[in-house]
Amino acid sequence: MPVDPRATDTAYRLNYHIIWTQAVVIRLCEAIRPAHCLTLLSPRLANSKVSPNKAISTPLTAILLEIFTNFVIEMNTPDEFFIPDNEVKLPDELDYSRVNEYVRSAEAFSRSTYQSVYIIDYFKQNFLYVSPNPMFLCGLSPEQMIDLGYQFYLKYVPEDEQALLLDINRVGFAFHNQIPLEQRKDWYISYDFHILNDGHPILINHKLTSLALTSDGRIWLALCVVSASTHTTPGHIEMHHVGTPDYFAFNPLTRRWDKNTMPSLTEGEKSVLTLSIQGYTMSEIADRICLSPDTVKKYRQRIFEKLGVRNISEAIVAATNNKLL
């Protein structure tokens, strides 16, 4: 095969690699934030005007570093959470006279649980209500968190996980908008991320479900519930259909939703877990359900394996979070 004479020219080869790098970077960023990456990245590379000699002394990794640094900085604004897929398009349908009913319901729920509860208003793009439960507050008062709104995520979520939240926001609403309108109130999304409490990262589980929809099926108000995570890493993005054991887990590598089935517990396993929640020891549980301590121990081990947890505390949280009891 004849060799293109340009391939031996240093300037040509360098320009080719820069163009190739630009294409790769744009494709990578499109996976996170497609709408903004072209306007951000293309001018930055086009205006670099690197001469062949200068380019030889400037590694492409430096160009990549500058691009991604600016990309991350510019994407971390509260407005980035509000995208076409969660835009409220029928504002005339919003009945704010009913808001107090939703708030009172959330308050009643928060009084009966250790979990933190808050309500997002996607039209006003703020927090409508935040419960006083300390799990999610990071030392703030509910009023301070309401004032912060979506700035909370930028101040109290580690920087390297903020892009994850934006991606969850995008893929979650894309999934939601594919659900038949009559079923949308029956779904919720669940995922894990860290919050910084006095500078210390705490891994939480965050669930979001629709509280009020407009007639076109778009979320106006969303109820969010925060609890301790049973995992050790952030992510674990899942869409659950209430009333069915099936759920969809998002695979960040393939960018696809994979269908799965929730584990189920036998009556014996449920009894062991329920009595554990009530504070009974293994010996006391064995006496109450007329089994040997070794059998109770086997039940607990099966529970750990099914729920993918390491101890009884994590099992209790996992079973509660996933409504297995």
Side-chain angles (χ1 to χ4, degrees), residues 116 130-142 145 152 156 195:
S116 291
V130 176
S131 74
N133 308 39
M135 170 70 68
F136 193 51
L137 292 178
C138 297
L140 301 172
S141 68
M145 188 166 168
F152 171 85
Y156 291 96
I195 54 175

Side-chain angles (χ1 to χ4, degrees), residues 230-274:
T230 58
H231 297 109
T232 57
T233 56
H236 309 284
I237 310 159
E238 300 173 354
M239 291 292 301
H240 290 258
H241 189 189
V242 177
T244 73
D246 296 331
Y247 68 97
F248 291 84
F250 183 71
N251 186 324
L253 297 178
T254 64
R255 311 295 297 173
R256 296 175 65 88
W257 292 91
D258 301 322
K259 189 174 182 179
N260 295 280
T261 301
M262 290 292 296
S264 60
L265 300 178
T266 65
E267 290 305 314
E269 291 164 352
K270 288 179 181 179
S271 296
V272 168
L273 199 51
T274 300

Side-chain angles (χ1 to χ4, degrees), residues 162-237:
Q162 291 172 12
L164 169 67
L165 292 188
L166 290 176
D167 198 30
I168 292 171
N169 188 61
R170 186 179 65 81
V171 300
F173 275 101
F175 186 105
H176 176 268
N177 290 342
Q178 298 300 314
I179 300 170
L181 263 63
E182 67 276 9
Q183 295 182 16
R184 291 188 186 178
K185 279 195 173 182
D186 300 328
W187 287 79
Y188 66 89
I189 188 170
S190 171
Y191 50 92
D192 298 338
F193 63 94
H194 288 94
I195 54 175
L196 299 172
N197 194 337
D198 198 22
H200 302 294
I202 300 172
L203 190 63
I204 60 167
N205 174 257
H206 188 280
K207 290 183 174 65
L208 183 151
T209 190
S210 59
L211 192 60
L213 300 170
T214 51
S215 61
D216 59 355
R218 288 174 172 265
I219 297 178
W220 164 32
L221 303 178
L223 180 70
C224 302
V225 180
V226 178
S227 57
S229 172
T230 58
H231 297 109
T232 57
T233 56
H236 309 284
I237 310 159

Side-chain angles (χ1 to χ4, degrees), residues 18 22 25-26 29 36-50 62-75:
I18 290 174
Q22 176 181 0
V25 172
I26 289 174
C29 294
H36 190 58
C37 69
L38 286 173
T39 56
L40 174 64
L41 298 180
S42 296
R44 194 170 301 280
L45 282 169
N47 294 334
S48 61
K49 297 180 181 177
V50 180
I63 299 174
L64 283 170
L65 181 60
E66 180 195 356
I67 291 167
F68 277 108
T69 300
N70 284 282
F71 178 74
V72 171
I73 291 172
E74 292 189 42
M75 73 184 250

Side-chain angles (χ1 to χ4, degrees), residues 52-188:
N53 289 336
K54 185 176 180 181
I56 291 171
S57 62
T58 306
L60 286 177
T61 51
I63 299 174
L64 283 170
L65 181 60
E66 180 195 356
I67 291 167
F68 277 108
T69 300
N70 284 282
F71 178 74
V72 171
I73 291 172
E74 292 189 42
M75 73 184 250
N76 286 338
T77 63
D79 290 344
E80 296 299 334
F81 287 100
F82 299 99
I83 55 178
D85 275 345
N86 63 28
E87 179 185 359
V88 178
K89 294 185 175 181
L90 300 173
D92 291 342
E93 294 185 4
L94 309 184
D95 185 2
Y96 276 94
S97 66
R98 297 187 57 201
V99 160
N100 286 338
E101 296 176 25
Y102 295 120
V103 170
R104 283 196 294 270
S105 297
E107 286 176 336
F109 173 60
S110 72
R111 288 194 295 269
S112 64
T113 180
Y114 76 96
Q115 298 165 312
S116 291
V117 181
Y118 67 107
I119 298 174
I120 297 173
D121 184 334
Y122 279 97
F123 180 66
K124 293 186 176 180
Q125 301 182 353
N126 60 12
F127 296 162
L128 186 64
Y129 164 79
V130 176
S131 74
N133 308 39
M135 170 70 68
F136 193 51
L137 292 178
C138 297
L140 301 172
S141 68
E143 294 74 22
Q144 287 173 320
M145 188 166 168
I146 289 173
D147 288 342
L148 277 176
Y150 270 74
Q151 285 283 353
F152 171 85
Y153 299 119
L154 305 187
K155 290 191 66 173
Y156 291 96
V157 174
E159 288 184 12
D160 59 351
E161 290 184 28
Q162 291 172 12
L164 169 67
L165 292 188
L166 290 176
D167 198 30
I168 292 171
N169 188 61
R170 186 179 65 81
V171 300
F173 275 101
F175 186 105
H176 176 268
N177 290 342
Q178 298 300 314
I179 300 170
L181 263 63
E182 67 276 9
Q183 295 182 16
R184 291 188 186 178
K185 279 195 173 182
D186 300 328
W187 287 79
Y188 66 89

